[in-house]
mmCIF file of all heavy atoms in Angstrom:
data_model
loop_
_atom_site.group_PDB
_atom_site.id
_atom_site.type_symbol
_atom_site.label_atom_id
_atom_site.label_comp_id
_atom_site.label_asym_id
_atom_site.label_seq_id
_atom_site.Cartn_x
_atom_site.Cartn_y
_atom_site.Cartn_z
ATOM 1 N N LEU P 683 34.636 48.030 -14.479
ATOM 2 C CA LEU P 683 35.660 47.103 -13.864
ATOM 3 C C LEU P 683 36.728 46.591 -14.978
ATOM 4 O O LEU P 683 37.839 46.453 -14.692
ATOM 5 C CB LEU P 683 34.951 45.786 -13.433
ATOM 6 C CG LEU P 683 33.937 45.907 -12.242
ATOM 7 C CD1 LEU P 683 33.163 44.703 -11.983
ATOM 8 C CD2 LEU P 683 34.701 46.367 -10.935
ATOM 9 N N ASN P 684 36.168 46.556 -16.300
ATOM 10 C CA ASN P 684 36.986 46.015 -17.311
ATOM 11 C C ASN P 684 36.333 46.349 -18.668
ATOM 12 O O ASN P 684 35.119 46.240 -18.739
ATOM 13 C CB ASN P 684 37.306 44.603 -17.135
ATOM 14 C CG ASN P 684 38.568 44.102 -17.804
ATOM 15 O OD1 ASN P 684 38.860 44.701 -18.846
ATOM 16 N ND2 ASN P 684 39.135 43.088 -17.300
ATOM 17 N N THR P 685 37.124 46.608 -19.643
ATOM 18 C CA THR P 685 36.628 46.683 -20.968
ATOM 19 C C THR P 685 37.679 45.829 -21.806
ATOM 20 O O THR P 685 38.878 45.875 -21.557
ATOM 21 C CB THR P 685 36.547 47.969 -21.614
ATOM 22 O OG1 THR P 685 37.822 48.697 -21.643
ATOM 23 C CG2 THR P 685 35.566 48.900 -20.751
ATOM 24 N N VAL P 686 37.165 45.148 -22.841
ATOM 25 C CA VAL P 686 37.994 44.534 -23.778
ATOM 26 C C VAL P 686 37.421 44.653 -25.178
ATOM 27 O O VAL P 686 36.248 44.655 -25.397
ATOM 28 C CB VAL P 686 38.143 43.026 -23.422
ATOM 29 C CG1 VAL P 686 36.867 42.249 -23.513
ATOM 30 C CG2 VAL P 686 39.200 42.293 -24.278
ATOM 31 N N THR P 687 38.340 44.980 -26.146
ATOM 32 C CA THR P 687 38.006 45.075 -27.533
ATOM 33 C C THR P 687 38.779 44.055 -28.374
ATOM 34 O O THR P 687 40.005 43.978 -28.247
ATOM 35 C CB THR P 687 38.224 46.580 -28.072
ATOM 36 O OG1 THR P 687 37.543 47.483 -27.307
ATOM 37 C CG2 THR P 687 37.916 46.716 -29.545
ATOM 38 N N GLU P 688 37.933 43.266 -29.108
ATOM 39 C CA GLU P 688 38.633 42.345 -29.983
ATOM 40 C C GLU P 688 38.006 42.569 -31.379
ATOM 41 O O GLU P 688 36.807 42.435 -31.661
ATOM 42 C CB GLU P 688 38.192 40.907 -29.499
ATOM 43 C CG GLU P 688 38.866 40.538 -28.307
ATOM 44 C CD GLU P 688 38.605 39.192 -27.793
ATOM 45 O OE1 GLU P 688 37.924 38.355 -28.611
ATOM 46 O OE2 GLU P 688 38.986 38.676 -26.713
ATOM 47 N N GLY P 689 38.845 43.004 -32.270
ATOM 48 C CA GLY P 689 38.432 43.439 -33.659
ATOM 49 C C GLY P 689 37.387 44.655 -33.521
ATOM 50 O O GLY P 689 37.887 45.630 -32.909
ATOM 51 N N ASP P 690 36.312 44.518 -34.033
ATOM 52 C CA ASP P 690 35.385 45.544 -34.091
ATOM 53 C C ASP P 690 34.401 45.539 -32.866
ATOM 54 O O ASP P 690 33.526 46.393 -32.721
ATOM 55 C CB ASP P 690 34.349 45.442 -35.309
ATOM 56 C CG ASP P 690 35.153 45.632 -36.571
ATOM 57 O OD1 ASP P 690 36.188 46.331 -36.550
ATOM 58 O OD2 ASP P 690 34.672 45.139 -37.677
ATOM 59 N N TRP P 691 34.540 44.607 -31.978
ATOM 60 C CA TRP P 691 33.588 44.370 -30.806
ATOM 61 C C TRP P 691 34.230 44.691 -29.547
ATOM 62 O O TRP P 691 35.363 44.402 -29.256
ATOM 63 C CB TRP P 691 33.076 43.010 -30.943
ATOM 64 C CG TRP P 691 32.345 42.682 -32.155
ATOM 65 C CD1 TRP P 691 32.855 42.016 -33.193
ATOM 66 C CD2 TRP P 691 31.053 43.036 -32.521
ATOM 67 N NE1 TRP P 691 31.808 41.949 -34.244
ATOM 68 C CE2 TRP P 691 30.813 42.609 -33.792
ATOM 69 C CE3 TRP P 691 30.014 43.779 -31.796
ATOM 70 C CZ2 TRP P 691 29.592 42.704 -34.528
ATOM 71 C CZ3 TRP P 691 28.835 43.940 -32.478
ATOM 72 C CH2 TRP P 691 28.572 43.458 -33.776
ATOM 73 N N THR P 692 33.373 45.240 -28.567
ATOM 74 C CA THR P 692 33.897 45.508 -27.245
ATOM 75 C C THR P 692 32.840 44.952 -26.203
ATOM 76 O O THR P 692 31.717 44.746 -26.451
ATOM 77 C CB THR P 692 33.807 47.084 -26.985
ATOM 78 O OG1 THR P 692 34.791 47.699 -27.922
ATOM 79 C CG2 THR P 692 34.164 47.437 -25.620
ATOM 80 N N GLY P 693 33.497 44.501 -25.173
ATOM 81 C CA GLY P 693 32.755 43.932 -23.968
ATOM 82 C C GLY P 693 33.100 44.790 -22.820
ATOM 83 O O GLY P 693 34.189 45.256 -22.723
ATOM 84 N N ILE P 694 32.053 44.840 -21.903
ATOM 85 C CA ILE P 694 32.273 45.691 -20.703
ATOM 86 C C ILE P 694 31.784 45.036 -19.484
ATOM 87 O O ILE P 694 30.724 44.433 -19.513
ATOM 88 C CB ILE P 694 31.491 47.084 -20.853
ATOM 89 C CG1 ILE P 694 32.072 47.861 -22.094
ATOM 90 C CG2 ILE P 694 31.715 47.889 -19.584
ATOM 91 C CD1 ILE P 694 31.121 49.027 -22.440
#
Side-chain angles (χ1 to χ4, degrees):
L683 299 172
N684 200 332
T685 63
V686 64
T687 299
E688 293 182 6
D690 294 335
W691 299 98
T692 297
I694 300 169

